[in-house]
Amino acid sequence: MTRGIDPDAVDAIDVHTHVQLSVAEQAAPDGSEGFAAMAKYFRSGEVTRFTVPMLAEYYRERRMAAVVFTVDAAHQTGREPNPPNEEIADLAAEHSDVLIPFASIDPHRGAAGVRAARSLITGHGVQGFKFHPTSQGFFPNDRMGYPLYEVLQEHGMVALFHTGHTGAGAGQRGGGGLRLKYSSPMLVDDLAVDFPDLKIVLAHPSFPWQDEALSVAMHKPNVYIDLSGWSPKYFPPQLVQYANTLLKDKMLFGSDFPMITPERWLEDFAAAGFRDEVRPKILKENAVRLFGLTAAAG
């Protein structure tokens, strides 16, 4: 159970935000060219990198909670995740009234990654793990990742998988070397079978595989969908249709901050055809259930 967040004290839970600056840094980290290209892709204008304390203040001011993480893609980039998982988790613990810490482990790390995952769970209190198959260069159902998933299932973690198209590498020569094929949601269907007690989130509208994502979420009780990374005004009609009906209890609010702000997302969400009775589920209630949050004692 996540500690500290009182669901009655927040109006929404953003399940998809990126920490992109360490508290120890004075300048932008390596990869600034890719960061600028992604900001251009999202039409975000000038984007500020946020540390964990900055994110906590930002969301607290808006009466929201947020899931925070980095992406470990060391196998493809040759760089360690920045900020480190430990920094994100430990600082999030200082702001546990509004932040839920996730970690990210590149499955290519093998046994060392499994050991790191256990340490992050038992020693640093992370509540889930973020995977970005395209950036990490692996198929989610590759057996290479199974020892890692076993640890996550054992400890009741949430596993969040990027699915579909990505702004990472978009518009760069050769797509920045990133391959979209790794992020089909149907690859995650195998994990939902092989790890039936692992809580799985398919991140983003999964263009060009939206129907596949809806099918997996309908078929597998342990699979959810987060709606981050797109303005709701661009959501495929079938995504809105299923969110209003068969999947109303499995859709989650996510922004992809800082590339998309929660204000921008929520403004477009209000006009995107979601039913009045469904909006509270998406914005908070489904995440409260997924993370096992309970109201503070009165």
Side-chain angles (χ1 to χ4, degrees):
M1 179 182 297
T2 303
R3 299 164 302 200
I5 295 177
D6 179 357
D8 292 337
V10 297
D11 297 326
I13 299 174
D14 186 340
V15 304
H16 201 116
T17 76
H18 293 263
V19 183
Q20 294 174 318
L21 188 65
S22 168
V23 294
E25 285 178 325
Q26 300 299 319
D30 291 339
S32 297
E33 180 181 352
F35 183 85
M38 189 178 296
K40 180 180 179 180
Y41 169 84
F42 279 103
R43 302 176 184 175
S44 303
E46 187 173 347
V47 178
T48 300
R49 296 176 186 269
F50 277 68
T51 64
V52 171
M54 291 167 64
L55 276 167
E57 180 180 2
Y58 183 94
Y59 278 88
R60 193 178 289 116
E61 288 176 351
R62 289 157 177 77
R63 278 185 55 87
M64 295 182 187
V67 172
V68 295
F69 49 73
T70 186
V71 175
D72 175 11
H75 175 71
Q76 295 220 118
T77 66
R79 297 188 298 269
E80 291 299 308
N82 189 18
N85 287 308
E86 293 81 1
E87 176 183 321
I88 292 173
D90 294 346
L91 288 175
E94 298 176 13
H95 300 279
S96 61
D97 60 313
V98 291
L99 297 184
I100 300 172
F102 273 31
S104 182
I105 298 288
D106 190 330
H108 290 93
R109 292 184 183 273
V114 173
R115 291 193 297 271
R118 287 191 183 276
S119 175
L120 287 162
I121 295 167
T122 61
H124 297 272
V126 303
Q127 299 296 319
F129 285 73
K130 157 75 172 185
F131 296 94
H132 197 301
T134 291
S135 293
Q136 293 169 325
F138 82 108
F139 291 109
N141 59 354
D142 189 319
R143 293 280 170 167
M144 169 183 68
Y146 273 43
L148 184 56
Y149 305 147
E150 288 171 2
V151 172
L152 273 56
Q153 179 173 253
E154 174 188 347
H155 290 277
M157 295 289 101
V158 176
L160 188 152
F161 285 85
H162 170 92
T163 62
H165 192 76
T166 180
Q172 295 182 273
R173 183 172 180 269
L178 304 182
R179 302 176 191 275
L180 298 175
K181 65 181 181 180
Y182 292 120
S183 290
S184 167
M186 195 57 70
L187 300 171
V188 184
D189 184 62
D190 285 341
L191 306 188
V193 174
D194 296 337
F195 299 93
D197 297 320
L198 178 64
K199 293 174 283 189
I200 297 171
V201 178
L202 303 175
H204 316 308
S206 300
F207 172 83
W209 301 292
Q210 185 61 76
D211 289 343
E212 285 88 338
L214 295 171
S215 176
V216 173
M218 283 194 297
H219 194 258
K220 302 300 189 296
N222 55 325
V223 176
Y224 293 71
I225 292 174
D226 92 30
L227 301 174
S228 68
W230 290 48
S231 161
K233 67 183 177 182
Y234 298 122
F235 285 175
Q238 69 268 39
L239 178 58
V240 178
Q241 175 189 348
Y242 280 88
N244 275 330
T245 54
L246 296 175
L247 292 176
K248 63 185 178 182
D249 295 319
K250 304 188 80 178
M251 296 286 182
L252 304 163
F253 161 47
S255 66
D256 220 358
F257 187 79
M259 293 301 171
I260 296 177
T261 66
E263 286 91 346
R264 173 185 171 189
W265 194 97
L266 290 169
E267 180 180 356
D268 291 342
F269 177 67
F274 291 90
R275 295 176 178 173
D276 290 343
E277 64 271 23
V278 170
R279 290 194 193 105
K281 291 177 177 288
I282 294 173
L283 293 179
K284 184 174 73 171
E285 293 170 10
N286 294 340
V288 167
R289 187 175 68 257
L290 176 66
F291 291 110
L293 303 179
T294 57

